[in-house]
Amino acid sequence: MSYTFACLGKGGTGKTLVSLLLARLAHEQGLRALLIDADPVGGLTLACGIEDAVSIAEAREAFVEEVRALPKDASAEETRALAEWMVSRTLVERPGFSLFSIGQRSSLRCYCSLNALMRQMIGVVVQRFELVVVDAEAGIEQVNREAVERIDHALLLCDGSQRAVQTCLLLRDNIDRVPMMRGCKSSVLFNRVHAIDDSQRQALNAAGLELLGLLPADEAVSRADKSSDSFSSLSANALVLQRLRSMMGGIGPFSRQ
């Protein structure tokens, strides 16, 4: 069974970075990792050096058109096979990880039964992986509609700013309102900071949020960002990777190693 992280937080807190780091840790430990890019702009996809991904949104639009073109006596098996083929086009596989890009719908058309079939086919693929990481830039609701049925662990990213802390508190208040996240574990991870402010620590603790730890600013990350493929170019000895490796030791699929 897969274990799903969602990286949440205000823009610029490092959700894409942490998504990549989690996939790297999974690869190190022989786990199959699936990244889900829920940002319509495709920041995670580009950070992985992928420029030609077919998004789920694009595949859905094409699927609807293909189904409309089928003969009227086409069987349910033909429609299902078409959905499987469309989903297979969206899964990008690279050494060390696979990736879905959600993309952005280009129309407001609703074909509930076809959308449900697509989600079912995507769900079958998702369950092949021990670790699923969602870069949830586009919001929890979009992830819920398009790709996963359950989030096991919400990682709330914070860059040390008061706005980022407030965003974590707002997310805490809303997580249980989303069915696929109800009851999930929630942790705050500070990124690009060398210390956690005492007042912020107290506010988060008072809200019942676990502080997972902090990732310091790391020059190795800046160098990797200049590469076309941040996933493979970041050194295994990078400080941020070492820190996250120690934090994840007892969580989800990492605890089984």
Side-chain angles (χ1 to χ4, degrees):
M1 179 178 292
S2 61
Y3 188 93
T4 302
F5 285 95
C7 294
L8 308 168
K10 82 171 186 65
T13 51
K15 296 180 292 294
T16 295
L17 168 66
V18 172
S19 297
L20 288 170
L21 293 178
L22 288 170
R24 279 288 299 271
L25 294 182
H27 180 54
E28 286 180 2
Q29 297 185 19
L31 299 170
R32 292 169 296 179
L34 173 66
L35 293 169
I36 297 179
D37 187 350
D39 180 357
V41 177
L44 177 60
T45 304
L46 293 175
C48 292
I50 300 167
E51 298 181 354
D52 56 350
V54 176
S55 73
I56 289 173
E58 292 170 329
R60 178 181 290 102
E61 293 292 323
F63 175 52
V64 169
E65 295 300 327
E66 292 287 345
V67 169
R68 292 176 66 181
L70 287 174
K72 292 184 179 180
D73 58 352
S75 66
E77 288 75 15
E78 288 178 279
T79 303
R80 184 181 180 87
L82 183 58
E84 290 178 348
W85 179 72
M86 286 295 180
V87 169
S88 72
R89 292 182 60 215
T90 67
L91 183 67
V92 179
E93 297 182 274
R94 292 288 187 271
F97 70 96
S98 297
L99 178 138
F100 274 137
S101 175
I102 289 180
Q104 188 171 20
R105 290 192 184 192
S106 59
S107 76
L108 298 177
R109 294 182 301 172
C110 179
Y111 296 86
C112 294
S113 61
L114 299 184
N115 289 338
L117 182 56
M118 282 286 286
R119 282 196 299 272
Q120 182 183 5
M121 295 299 98
I122 292 166
V124 169
V125 174
V126 168
Q127 288 304 313
R128 298 175 188 166
F129 297 86
E130 287 90 7
L131 178 73
V132 179
V133 185
V134 182
D135 182 357
E137 186 78 29
I140 299 170
E141 294 79 8
Q142 182 175 3
V143 178
N144 188 25
R145 287 198 308 269
E146 311 294 351
V148 295
E149 296 181 354
R150 184 192 74 257
I151 297 294
D152 298 294
H153 197 136
L155 281 180
L156 312 182
L157 276 294
C158 182
D159 59 9
S161 67
Q162 195 57 31
R163 183 181 163 212
V165 171
Q166 290 171 346
T167 300
C168 290
L169 295 174
L170 288 171
L171 285 166
R172 189 280 321 258
D173 292 339
N174 284 283
I175 279 174
D176 277 346
R177 300 176 186 176
V178 180
M180 44 109 57
M181 300 191 76
R182 193 166 294 137
C184 77
K185 182 179 178 65
S186 298
S187 303
V188 177
L189 176 60
F190 279 74
N191 183 42
R192 293 194 299 272
V193 299
H194 292 287
I196 300 173
D197 182 83
D198 285 340
S199 64
Q200 294 179 347
R201 183 189 298 271
Q202 292 170 9
L204 294 167
N205 284 336
L209 285 170
E210 174 194 21
L211 297 185
L212 187 61
L214 62 85
L215 299 176
D218 190 344
E219 181 59 32
V221 173
S222 299
R223 291 195 296 270
D225 279 343
K226 296 176 183 178
S227 166
S228 61
D229 183 358
S230 299
F231 178 85
S232 61
S233 61
L234 186 65
S235 168
N237 296 319
L239 181 57
V240 291
L241 198 52
Q242 293 181 44
R243 288 284 183 87
L244 193 62
R245 190 181 290 122
S246 65
M247 293 178 201
M248 289 292 136
I251 298 176
F254 300 110
S255 65
R256 306 168 197 160
Q257 302 303 301

Short mmCIF file of all heavy atoms in Angstrom, two decimals, residues 147-174:
data_model
loop_
_atom_site.label_atom_id
_atom_site.label_comp_id
_atom_site.label_asym_id
_atom_site.label_seq_id
_atom_site.Cartn_x
_atom_site.Cartn_y
_atom_site.Cartn_z
N ALA A 147 -6.25 13.18 -8.49
CA ALA A 147 -5.20 12.18 -8.46
C ALA A 147 -5.25 11.18 -7.31
O ALA A 147 -5.09 9.99 -7.55
CB ALA A 147 -3.83 12.89 -8.44
N VAL A 148 -5.40 11.61 -6.09
CA VAL A 148 -5.28 10.69 -4.96
C VAL A 148 -6.54 10.69 -4.11
O VAL A 148 -7.25 11.69 -4.03
CB VAL A 148 -4.05 11.02 -4.08
CG1 VAL A 148 -2.77 10.83 -4.86
CG2 VAL A 148 -4.14 12.44 -3.53
N GLU A 149 -6.78 9.57 -3.47
CA GLU A 149 -7.97 9.44 -2.64
C GLU A 149 -7.67 9.68 -1.17
O GLU A 149 -8.59 9.89 -0.37
CB GLU A 149 -8.57 8.03 -2.80
CG GLU A 149 -9.07 7.75 -4.21
CD GLU A 149 -9.67 6.37 -4.32
OE1 GLU A 149 -9.58 5.60 -3.34
OE2 GLU A 149 -10.23 6.06 -5.38
N ARG A 150 -6.39 9.64 -0.79
CA ARG A 150 -6.05 9.74 0.62
C ARG A 150 -4.68 10.40 0.77
O ARG A 150 -3.75 10.11 0.02
CB ARG A 150 -5.99 8.33 1.24
CG ARG A 150 -5.74 8.29 2.73
CD ARG A 150 -5.41 6.88 3.20
NE ARG A 150 -4.05 6.48 2.80
CZ ARG A 150 -3.76 5.68 1.81
NH1 ARG A 150 -4.71 5.18 1.05
NH2 ARG A 150 -2.50 5.37 1.52
N ILE A 151 -4.57 11.29 1.75
CA ILE A 151 -3.29 11.84 2.17
C ILE A 151 -2.99 11.29 3.55
O ILE A 151 -3.81 11.39 4.47
CB ILE A 151 -3.31 13.39 2.22
CG1 ILE A 151 -3.56 13.98 0.83
CG2 ILE A 151 -2.01 13.93 2.81
CD1 ILE A 151 -2.45 13.74 -0.17
N ASP A 152 -1.81 10.69 3.72
CA ASP A 152 -1.43 10.13 5.01
C ASP A 152 -0.70 11.14 5.89
O ASP A 152 -0.79 11.08 7.12
CB ASP A 152 -0.54 8.91 4.81
CG ASP A 152 -1.26 7.80 4.06
OD1 ASP A 152 -2.23 7.25 4.61
OD2 ASP A 152 -0.87 7.50 2.92
N HIS A 153 0.02 12.06 5.25
CA HIS A 153 0.87 12.97 6.02
C HIS A 153 0.94 14.32 5.31
O HIS A 153 1.37 14.40 4.16
CB HIS A 153 2.28 12.39 6.15
CG HIS A 153 3.11 13.02 7.22
ND1 HIS A 153 3.89 12.29 8.08
CD2 HIS A 153 3.28 14.31 7.58
CE1 HIS A 153 4.50 13.11 8.92
NE2 HIS A 153 4.16 14.34 8.62
N ALA A 154 0.49 15.36 6.01
CA ALA A 154 0.59 16.72 5.47
C ALA A 154 1.86 17.36 6.01
O ALA A 154 2.01 17.53 7.22
CB ALA A 154 -0.63 17.54 5.87
N LEU A 155 2.79 17.70 5.11
CA LEU A 155 4.00 18.42 5.49
C LEU A 155 3.75 19.91 5.23
O LEU A 155 3.62 20.33 4.07
CB LEU A 155 5.19 17.94 4.66
CG LEU A 155 5.84 16.62 5.07
CD1 LEU A 155 7.00 16.31 4.13
CD2 LEU A 155 6.35 16.69 6.50
N LEU A 156 3.67 20.69 6.28
CA LEU A 156 3.39 22.12 6.18
C LEU A 156 4.73 22.86 6.17
O LEU A 156 5.44 22.87 7.18
CB LEU A 156 2.51 22.58 7.34
CG LEU A 156 1.27 21.72 7.63
CD1 LEU A 156 0.46 22.33 8.77
CD2 LEU A 156 0.41 21.55 6.38
N LEU A 157 5.05 23.44 5.03
CA LEU A 157 6.35 24.09 4.87
C LEU A 157 6.30 25.53 5.36
O LEU A 157 5.33 26.25 5.11
CB LEU A 157 6.80 24.06 3.41
CG LEU A 157 7.52 22.79 2.91
CD1 LEU A 157 8.85 22.64 3.60
CD2 LEU A 157 6.67 21.55 3.11
N CYS A 158 7.36 25.95 6.07
CA CYS A 158 7.43 27.29 6.64
C CYS A 158 8.83 27.84 6.43
O CYS A 158 9.82 27.15 6.68
CB CYS A 158 7.09 27.22 8.14
SG CYS A 158 7.09 28.82 8.96
N ASP A 159 8.92 29.09 5.97
CA ASP A 159 10.23 29.71 5.74
C ASP A 159 10.65 30.65 6.86
O ASP A 159 11.59 31.42 6.72
CB ASP A 159 10.24 30.46 4.40
CG ASP A 159 9.18 31.56 4.33
OD1 ASP A 159 8.55 31.86 5.38
OD2 ASP A 159 8.98 32.12 3.23
N GLY A 160 9.94 30.60 7.98
CA GLY A 160 10.28 31.44 9.12
C GLY A 160 9.57 32.78 9.15
O GLY A 160 9.65 33.50 10.15
N SER A 161 8.86 33.13 8.09
CA SER A 161 8.11 34.38 8.08
C SER A 161 6.81 34.21 8.84
O SER A 161 6.27 33.10 8.95
CB SER A 161 7.81 34.83 6.65
OG SER A 161 6.91 33.93 6.03
N GLN A 162 6.28 35.32 9.36
CA GLN A 162 5.03 35.23 10.10
C GLN A 162 3.88 34.81 9.20
O GLN A 162 2.98 34.08 9.62
CB GLN A 162 4.71 36.58 10.76
CG GLN A 162 3.64 36.51 11.83
CD GLN A 162 3.98 35.53 12.95
OE1 GLN A 162 5.14 35.31 13.28
NE2 GLN A 162 2.95 34.91 13.51
N ARG A 163 3.93 35.25 7.95
CA ARG A 163 2.88 34.85 7.00
C ARG A 163 2.88 33.35 6.77
O ARG A 163 1.83 32.72 6.66
CB ARG A 163 3.08 35.59 5.68
CG ARG A 163 1.99 35.30 4.66
CD ARG A 163 2.22 36.03 3.37
NE ARG A 163 1.44 35.46 2.28
CZ ARG A 163 1.82 35.44 1.02
NH1 ARG A 163 2.98 35.95 0.67
NH2 ARG A 163 1.05 34.92 0.10
N ALA A 164 4.07 32.76 6.70
CA ALA A 164 4.16 31.32 6.50
C ALA A 164 3.62 30.57 7.71
O ALA A 164 2.94 29.54 7.56
CB ALA A 164 5.60 30.92 6.23
N VAL A 165 3.90 31.07 8.91
CA VAL A 165 3.37 30.45 10.12
C VAL A 165 1.85 30.53 10.13
O VAL A 165 1.15 29.55 10.44
CB VAL A 165 3.97 31.11 11.38
CG1 VAL A 165 3.26 30.62 12.65
CG2 VAL A 165 5.46 30.83 11.48
N GLN A 166 1.32 31.70 9.79
CA GLN A 166 -0.13 31.87 9.75
C GLN A 166 -0.77 30.94 8.72
O GLN A 166 -1.87 30.40 8.94
CB GLN A 166 -0.47 33.33 9.46
CG GLN A 166 -0.13 34.26 10.61
CD GLN A 166 -0.27 35.73 10.23
OE1 GLN A 166 -0.37 36.08 9.04
NE2 GLN A 166 -0.26 36.60 11.23
N THR A 167 -0.08 30.74 7.59
CA THR A 167 -0.59 29.82 6.58
C THR A 167 -0.66 28.40 7.13
O THR A 167 -1.62 27.66 6.89
CB THR A 167 0.29 29.86 5.32
OG1 THR A 167 0.29 31.19 4.78
CG2 THR A 167 -0.21 28.88 4.26
N CYS A 168 0.37 27.99 7.88
CA CYS A 168 0.36 26.67 8.50
C CYS A 168 -0.82 26.52 9.45
O CYS A 168 -1.49 25.47 9.48
CB CYS A 168 1.66 26.42 9.26
SG CYS A 168 3.11 26.20 8.21
N LEU A 169 -1.11 27.57 10.21
CA LEU A 169 -2.23 27.52 11.15
C LEU A 169 -3.56 27.44 10.40
O LEU A 169 -4.48 26.71 10.81
CB LEU A 169 -2.20 28.75 12.06
CG LEU A 169 -0.99 28.82 13.01
CD1 LEU A 169 -0.98 30.14 13.76
CD2 LEU A 169 -0.98 27.65 13.98
N LEU A 170 -3.68 28.18 9.31
CA LEU A 170 -4.90 28.12 8.50
C LEU A 170 -5.08 26.74 7.87
O LEU A 170 -6.19 26.21 7.82
CB LEU A 170 -4.87 29.19 7.41
CG LEU A 170 -5.06 30.64 7.88
CD1 LEU A 170 -4.78 31.62 6.74
CD2 LEU A 170 -6.48 30.84 8.40
N LEU A 171 -3.98 26.17 7.40
CA LEU A 171 -4.05 24.83 6.82
C LEU A 171 -4.49 23.82 7.88
O LEU A 171 -5.30 22.94 7.61
CB LEU A 171 -2.69 24.44 6.24
CG LEU A 171 -2.31 25.11 4.92
CD1 LEU A 171 -0.83 24.93 4.63
CD2 LEU A 171 -3.15 24.55 3.77
N ARG A 172 -3.94 23.95 9.09
CA ARG A 172 -4.33 23.07 10.17
C ARG A 172 -5.85 23.11 10.39
O ARG A 172 -6.51 22.08 10.58
CB ARG A 172 -3.59 23.48 11.44
CG ARG A 172 -3.70 22.56 12.68
CD ARG A 172 -4.98 22.69 13.48
NE ARG A 172 -5.47 24.04 13.64
CZ ARG A 172 -5.34 24.78 14.73
NH1 ARG A 172 -4.73 24.29 15.77
NH2 ARG A 172 -5.86 25.99 14.78
N ASP A 173 -6.41 24.31 10.32
CA ASP A 173 -7.86 24.48 10.55
C ASP A 173 -8.69 23.88 9.43
O ASP A 173 -9.87 23.54 9.64
CB ASP A 173 -8.20 25.96 10.69
CG ASP A 173 -7.64 26.57 11.97
OD1 ASP A 173 -7.34 25.80 12.91
OD2 ASP A 173 -7.48 27.81 12.03
N ASN A 174 -8.11 23.75 8.24
CA ASN A 174 -8.89 23.30 7.08
C ASN A 174 -8.66 21.86 6.68
O ASN A 174 -9.48 21.28 5.95
CB ASN A 174 -8.58 24.21 5.87
CG ASN A 174 -9.26 25.55 5.98
OD1 ASN A 174 -10.45 25.68 5.73
ND2 ASN A 174 -8.50 26.57 6.37
#
